[in-house]
Amino acid sequence: MASLCVHHTSLPLSPPHQVTVPEPSRALPPSSRLPALPSSSNHVSALPRPAAASFAFACHCKAPVRDHDAELLRALRSNGNGTLHGDTALPQVLDSRSDGPGGDGSSKRSRFCARDCAKRIMELPVEERVKVLDLLQRDDAALTVSDYNDILSALARAGDHATAVALFRAMPVAPDAHSFATAVQCLCRQGAPDEAKLALDEMVARGFRPSVATFSAVVGCLCKRGRVTKAMEVLDAMLGLGCEPTIRTYNSLVGGLCYVGRLEEALELLKKLKDSPLTPDIYTFTIVLDGFCKVGRTEEATAIFHDAIGMGLSPTTFTYNALLNGHCKEGNPLKAFALLMEMCGNNDAACLPDKTSFGIVLTALLRAGETSAAWQTYKRMERAGFEVDGRALDTLARGLCRRCATDASALGDAEEVFGKVVASGHEPVSYTYCLMAQALARGGEVDAAVALLEDMVRKGYALRKRAYTDVVRALCDRGRARDALQVLVLVMIVRDFVPGRNAFEALLGELSRQGRWADAMTVYAAAVKRGVVVSWKHLGRETHSPVEPIRLGVPVPQ
């Protein structure tokens, strides 16, 4: 089933048949004639209209299913005047309302297919769907403006705003206030503020009185596009007709002023609303303080926040998020953290932090290196049932690993977060691996550090000198010279890296302490061969128990 298409040409893309060239009119039975088209004084829409004389809403629900794609191809092959290449005559429309011999030519127009509308209407509740589908099966001449309004409303509720606007433009009867209101709302939903304003102006020019909702929709649509001056014109017209704006109307206008950077005017309007019978709500305050936060004026936004609380209004999560974002953008993540903790301790479920709240603060804390606060934020987020982004976890793991240098108790936290990173499917970067290996080695979990280095080598990650040097030192401190030597072999031979001086000297010191002079000379030779200058002092230490020499691929001196 193809979607409804209305084109601004006299040639319909997908009608079941082409209309004939009108001939001199001939009397037809009343039941077979199309309804008379409204005169230009009754229905001249300011909206862009197709070039054809008029449109009818032809219903073919009872007709056999047609090959819609074939009809599209047929229309695309047309000559532009209703004939096809090679056709000598135009086929007749199989409809009692079509122009035939004696027709008045008024039905030569693009036609809607009912099943295109029905496709979206089928998504509506059963009662409304049955009612509208019943209307679609009636003859065009039997449809009143009220019937068309029901179809327009159904299409709007189904979310098919483009089809609703197209049907409004093609209505063969003069639209009423409800028709215009539905069209204006649909144009606003489509993001067409200029056309919506034109339709609103035409509605007023015809003597109809738009509702507050219709005016507010146009004001909101204009403000979202930064057309604040036009929105104020609509507001003036609204007041001129004696239609009182609601706080929602003013909220749209305040948002538009903030959007275009006219913050002082937005704040002035907020103050006027406070002194008027129309009391601003929390959304009015939120819009203004969010505008101030976005331009780095968080202190003024905080004052607006406390002003709202002083009026007895309850902040929402969006209100807090605006302030959190403002503090973080100004480089004050700890202020944002304090505000987040205030939200967590709030008993009001309406302003509990959401995933966005935690994400704003966690990212800012990690960027600022505030690992302790970031860890608390992460645990709060986890208890609230929110998943942390793998990239943020990776950054948190690195921060906790660095913290292990001064706080050994942070190692367990670092391991927990590192495990979460791996479990989430986000592969940690090589830098995170190296920092984790260093933290494990310094924390006494040497075997885990060695396993992590082997995992890095297997995955082809680059090794940092400090990482494997700390592992070698940790092994040597525990008298595990053979394991330390294996780490150096892993680095030198498998990864073809040249270990640093500190790694060689740590191993030489342990070998000399154990009295393994031959092994020490082998390691020393390997260092010299690779251009690493090491100190001789390790070779002059007092010997202890002899151990079997370990070969490193360099001849052992006899």
Side-chain angles (χ1 to χ4, degrees):
M1 183 181 295
S3 61
L4 178 65
C5 296
V6 177
H7 294 262
H8 293 245
T9 64
S10 60
L11 175 68
L13 278 184
S14 56
H17 303 283
Q18 302 291 338
V19 295
T20 60
V21 177
E23 298 180 8
S25 70
R26 184 175 61 185
L28 292 175
S31 60
S32 64
R33 289 187 181 180
L34 285 170
L37 294 177
S39 65
S40 57
S41 62
N42 291 332
H43 185 41
V44 180
S45 175
L47 301 175
R49 302 181 65 87
S54 59
F55 294 86
F57 189 72
C59 299
H60 302 283
C61 290
K62 299 179 181 178
V65 177
R66 295 169 286 118
D67 189 347
H68 208 62
D69 293 337
E71 293 169 6
L72 285 173
L73 293 175
R74 179 179 175 85
L76 290 175
R77 291 189 291 109
S78 68
N79 293 317
N81 60 356
T83 63
L84 300 177
H85 296 295
D87 286 357
T88 57
L90 292 173
Q92 297 287 334
V93 176
L94 299 179
D95 193 290
S96 62
R97 296 159 293 155
S98 64
D99 287 338
D104 60 1
S106 62
S107 66
K108 183 182 179 183
R109 46 183 162 251
S110 300
R111 311 173 72 84
F112 289 94
C113 183
R115 63 176 182 164
D116 293 326
C117 299
K119 179 174 65 174
R120 295 300 297 269
I121 292 172
M122 292 300 290
E123 301 171 7
L124 294 173
V126 176
E127 292 183 3
E128 187 173 3
R129 183 172 67 219
V130 170
K131 175 183 177 182
V132 174
L133 291 179
D134 178 64
L135 291 174
L136 292 178
Q137 296 188 55
R138 295 185 189 177
D139 190 83
D140 278 357
L143 293 177
T144 65
V145 65
S146 178
D147 297 331
Y148 277 106
N149 288 342
D150 289 338
I151 299 172
L152 285 172
S153 299
L155 289 170
R157 280 190 288 274
D160 198 350
H161 307 297
T163 304
V165 172
L167 175 57
F168 171 77
R169 290 169 173 163
M171 284 173 58
V173 295
D176 59 9
H178 184 79
S179 312
F180 272 105
T182 305
V184 169
Q185 293 281 357
C186 290
L187 287 167
C188 291
R189 294 292 179 88
Q190 284 185 288
D194 293 326
E195 292 187 37
K197 187 176 183 302
L198 283 174
L200 181 67
D201 291 342
E202 182 181 351
M203 183 178 181
V204 174
R206 286 171 178 257
F208 297 124
R209 181 189 174 92
S211 65
V212 176
T214 305
F215 274 117
S216 298
V218 178
V219 171
C221 187
L222 288 166
C223 288
K224 286 178 182 178
R225 298 297 184 276
R227 313 285 292 280
V228 182
T229 303
K230 290 284 186 183
M232 288 184 173
E233 292 177 5
V234 175
L235 184 66
D236 291 339
M238 185 177 184
L239 294 170
L241 290 174
C243 189
E244 285 297 324
T246 63
I247 192 60
R248 185 175 180 180
T249 313
Y250 282 109
N251 284 351
S252 297
L253 194 57
V254 169
L257 290 169
C258 293
Y259 180 74
V260 297
R262 295 161 63 175
L263 297 177
E264 304 302 333
E265 294 180 52
L267 184 59
E268 187 63 28
L269 181 57
L270 175 61
K271 292 178 180 178
K272 289 181 179 179
L273 288 172
K274 287 168 57 180
D275 298 332
S276 71
L278 195 63
T279 307
D281 57 16
I282 189 59
Y283 298 104
T284 319
F285 284 93
T286 301
I287 293 167
V288 178
L289 70 85
D290 181 54
F292 277 88
C293 287
K294 285 179 178 177
V295 296
R297 298 168 64 178
T298 310
E299 291 302 323
E300 295 172 74
T302 304
I304 297 171
F305 174 78
H306 290 301
D307 192 14
I309 294 177
M311 290 184 61
L313 299 175
S314 299
T316 65
T317 303
F318 298 105
T319 312
Y320 276 104
N321 285 352
L323 283 176
L324 293 174
N325 210 21
H327 285 307
C328 293
K329 283 187 175 181
E330 288 188 28
N332 298 314
L334 291 179
K335 285 187 178 181
F337 174 71
L339 190 61
L340 181 68
M341 293 300 104
E342 179 184 323
M343 292 179 68
C344 293
N346 201 318
N347 295 324
D348 187 1
C351 60
L352 290 176
D354 58 7
K355 187 174 182 179
T356 302
S357 312
F358 285 111
I360 291 170
V361 179
L362 181 60
T363 303
L365 290 169
L366 292 173
R367 190 180 294 118
E370 300 289 348
T371 307
S372 178
W375 169 251
Q376 295 179 56
T377 303
Y378 162 70
K379 296 303 288 184
R380 288 273 190 174
M381 190 173 183
E382 191 178 48
R383 284 198 294 270
F386 298 116
E387 291 186 4
V388 185
D389 176 68
R391 189 174 178 180
L393 282 174
D394 201 352
T395 307
L396 179 58
R398 290 197 296 272
L400 291 170
C401 288
R402 295 190 193 96
R403 186 180 169 191
C404 290
T406 56
D407 183 7
S409 63
L411 179 58
D413 299 339
E415 288 183 273
E416 177 187 339
V417 175
F418 186 83
K420 288 284 183 67
V421 176
V422 176
S424 69
H426 177 86
E427 188 66 25
V429 298
S430 60
Y431 187 38
T432 308
Y433 267 107
C434 290
L435 289 177
M436 191 71 244
Q438 286 179 255
L440 290 169
R442 291 171 180 171
E445 299 185 24
V446 186
D447 291 329
V450 173
L452 205 57
L453 287 180
E454 292 174 349
D455 192 28
M456 291 182 67
V457 170
R458 185 169 58 254
K459 293 180 178 180
Y461 282 173
L463 298 174
R464 297 177 73 239
K465 286 186 178 181
R466 289 192 62 181
Y468 58 76
T469 298
D470 285 353
V471 175
V472 169
R473 280 177 174 169
L475 289 167
C476 291
D477 290 343
R478 288 158 179 76
R480 298 170 59 179
R482 182 182 293 272
D483 293 334
L485 188 56
Q486 288 177 349
V487 171
L488 284 186
V489 170
L490 185 73
V491 173
M492 288 188 295
I493 297 177
V494 178
R495 291 298 296 159
D496 196 24
F497 287 167
V498 179
R501 174 181 173 178
N502 293 334
F504 276 113
E505 289 186 349
L507 182 55
L508 285 173
E510 178 58 24
L511 290 172
S512 64
R513 190 187 68 79
Q514 294 180 8
R516 298 166 58 177
W517 294 102
D519 292 341
M521 290 301 298
T522 301
V523 172
Y524 179 77
V528 172
K529 180 180 178 180
R530 287 161 176 78
V532 180
V533 179
V534 296
S535 174
W536 278 90
K537 64 180 180 180
H538 301 291
L539 301 180
R541 290 186 177 179
E542 186 178 347
T543 63
H544 291 277
S545 58
V547 184
E548 179 186 354
I550 300 176
R551 298 185 181 276
L552 191 65
V554 180
V556 179
Q558 299 297 327

